[in-house]
Amino acid sequence: MSVMINKDPFITAQVMDLVLRERAVALSNREWKHRLAGYGYAIKVTDHGEIVETLPHHVEVGVLPVQPRA
């Protein structure tokens, strides 16, 4: 895991890709968040949507796209 001091667009894109891939394979929202914690990331729910942040420093990486309803 890298600390997001300079928001490098390439690293941000890689992290978001990892998060979305993990969401696609997880069986539940709880499992997804647990898997992300293993990589050093967390999801923070705000009024503006879900935000990916680093652990344990809680540095924001980016906003997740809205997940389509099934």
Side-chain angles (χ1 to χ4, degrees), residues 21-58:
R21 268 194 327 245
E22 289 298 321
R23 180 163 64 182
V25 298
L27 299 176
S28 68
N29 201 29
R30 183 177 178 175
E31 179 193 0
W32 174 51
K33 290 180 180 183
H34 181 76
R35 293 170 70 105
L36 290 180
Y39 287 108
Y41 297 101
I43 302 297
K44 178 172 64 173
V45 179
T46 67
D47 294 337
H48 305 290
E50 295 178 317
I51 298 176
V52 179
E53 61 182 14
T54 63
L55 290 175
H57 306 293
H58 301 286

